[in-house]
Amino acid sequence: MADNAGTLYLVSTPIGNLEDVTRRALRVLSEADLVACEDTRHTRKLLDHYGIRTKTISYHEHNERERAVELAARLAAGQTVALVSDAGTPGVSDPGYRLVRAAIERGAGVVPVPGATAFVAALTASGLPTDEFFFGGFLPARSMARRSRLSQVRSLAATLVFYEAPHRIGDALRDAREILGEREAAVARELTKLHEEIARGRLTELIEKFSGEHAARGEMVVVIDRTVIADAAADQASAQTESIAALVAAYERDEGLDQRAALKRAARRLGLSRDEAYRRLVAERARDRSD
Ligand code: SAM
């Protein structure tokens, strides 16, 4: 750390329940020269709740680049900056990384003040193994990219954890069932809030629960087991609906096949004629474009 340089504190704040904040977090927020936050009005509510009067400045995905330079200059001049996000731990599927890099480059101290983060709360309460896990942040919004991402993690020997938006949860679970096969899973919704719910079951059961008119509201985390449930009927159903576009993409990427060879391979795996496989590929891509 450079002489006279200040300190950047990465302060975790609640993911819903305002009591989920540490005493140290409150002290650091009240002693800092400045609190950098995604939404100043949102963070002001937390600060007001605890009688903290520190000045705030916005730091969000749209001004991250310029603000990181500006805040790093303040740190280099000896100021103390506390970074928070709207909820949970800054830098976890939230802005933070650029500022941390800039602070390190300017010789400032970087000090975490740990606390709530949604994926850890969801994972630990899911009932699925916690010894090894993979946190993938938000799954891609478009189906083809989402299936391709799921294909990349299909054979990991780890519990899979993703953030997901409520209007995509049904589609994401369906893609997960198709690409990963039937598995135990959990959807942790509105953690620490009034309507907290942790739905546990097979992917097929969760698809049922979170589709159509039962679509859920609120913030949610999806947790998926590493083990495929050996169930011939489920496997067959899954193969029949498996995404051919994702399979073709996986063969192209992982095995360096050209599209023609990848399609032939995918057709064989799905028990389809090459014509039928091609028709399905074109239909899926058209569907993805209109998503
Ligand atoms: N920085 C945050 C953290 O440490 O968890 C994550 C911020 S990210 C922009 C917001 C996503 O986190 C939501 O879309 C949801 O997937 C998840 N999330 C945040 N709060 C949650 C809660 N109370 N219950 C369930 N999921 C939550």
Side-chain angles (χ1 to χ4, degrees):
M1 186 172 154
D3 284 350
N4 306 323
T7 302
L8 171 68
Y9 288 95
L10 305 168
V11 181
S12 296
T13 57
I15 56 169
N17 188 322
L18 285 186
E19 289 181 36
D20 290 334
V21 63
T22 66
R23 290 183 193 208
R24 181 172 174 229
L26 296 175
R27 181 179 56 73
V28 167
L29 289 172
S30 61
E31 290 175 1
D33 293 305
L34 201 56
V35 176
C37 41
E38 278 188 276
D39 177 343
T40 51
R41 276 179 308 179
H42 181 91
T43 297
R44 182 49 64 196
K45 284 187 201 146
L46 175 76
L47 299 181
D48 284 349
H49 184 80
Y50 287 103
I52 295 170
R53 312 237 171 280
T54 313
K55 271 208 312 209
T56 57
I57 186 170
S58 71
Y59 176 79
H60 48 66
E61 57 175 334
H62 305 295
N63 69 3
E64 207 182 341
R65 213 175 272 269
E66 314 84 75
R67 269 290 146 82
V69 174
E70 184 187 331
L71 290 168
R74 286 175 182 259
L75 288 164
Q79 290 201 357
T80 299
V81 176
L83 175 68
V84 301
S85 60
D86 280 353
T89 300
V92 175
S93 296
D94 266 337
Y97 166 74
R98 278 182 207 285
L99 180 54
V100 171
R101 293 292 312 175
I104 294 167
E105 277 158 23
R106 301 296 294 261
V110 175
V111 177
V113 182
T117 191
F119 81 84
V120 173
L123 171 68
T124 51
S126 67
L128 298 172
T130 55
D131 55 342
E132 278 189 58
F133 62 87
F134 169 85
F135 171 57
F138 281 98
L139 277 168
R142 293 173 76 89
S143 186
M144 196 150 124
R146 186 164 57 222
R147 288 187 214 147
S148 163
R149 177 77 55 83
L150 288 164
S151 305
Q152 288 165 10
V153 297
R154 175 162 47 192
S155 46
L156 285 183
T159 301
L160 307 174
V161 191
F162 298 102
Y163 286 162
E164 192 48 277
H167 60 282
R168 280 197 290 268
I169 186 73
D171 288 344
L173 291 170
R174 258 188 297 281
D175 283 347
R177 224 279 309 273
E178 286 178 23
I179 304 297
L180 305 174
E182 183 72 298
R183 300 187 186 199
E184 289 295 329
V187 174
R189 199 173 72 77
E190 294 288 87
L191 292 169
T192 78
K193 303 186 198 175
L194 186 62
H195 298 292
E196 175 176 284
E197 176 191 31
I198 303 173
R200 303 177 182 88
R202 292 180 173 206
L203 283 167
T204 304
E205 292 161 338
L206 295 172
I207 290 168
E208 182 111 330
K209 180 172 168 62
F210 290 107
S211 293
E213 61 194 83
H214 304 297
R217 291 165 189 278
E219 299 195 281
M220 51 192 66
V221 184
V222 182
V223 188
I224 305 173
D225 197 6
R226 69 198 68 178
T227 317
V228 179
I229 296 169
D231 177 333
D235 282 354
Q236 206 181 9
S238 170
Q240 274 166 10
T241 53
E242 195 161 11
S243 160
I244 195 156
L247 269 181
V248 168
Y251 288 140
E252 286 174 342
R253 187 190 57 244
D254 299 341
E255 301 186 21
L257 299 181
D258 61 24
Q259 176 171 311
R260 199 181 148 84
L263 183 64
K264 191 170 158 191
R265 187 81 167 273
R268 212 176 320 133
R269 171 175 166 143
L270 298 177
L272 302 172
S273 71
R274 255 190 284 170
D275 281 351
E276 177 56 18
Y278 183 69
R279 267 196 297 278
R280 265 177 66 172
L281 180 67
V282 170
E284 269 184 34
R285 286 187 172 160
R287 200 178 70 202
D288 278 330
R289 274 195 295 274
S290 65
D291 266 359

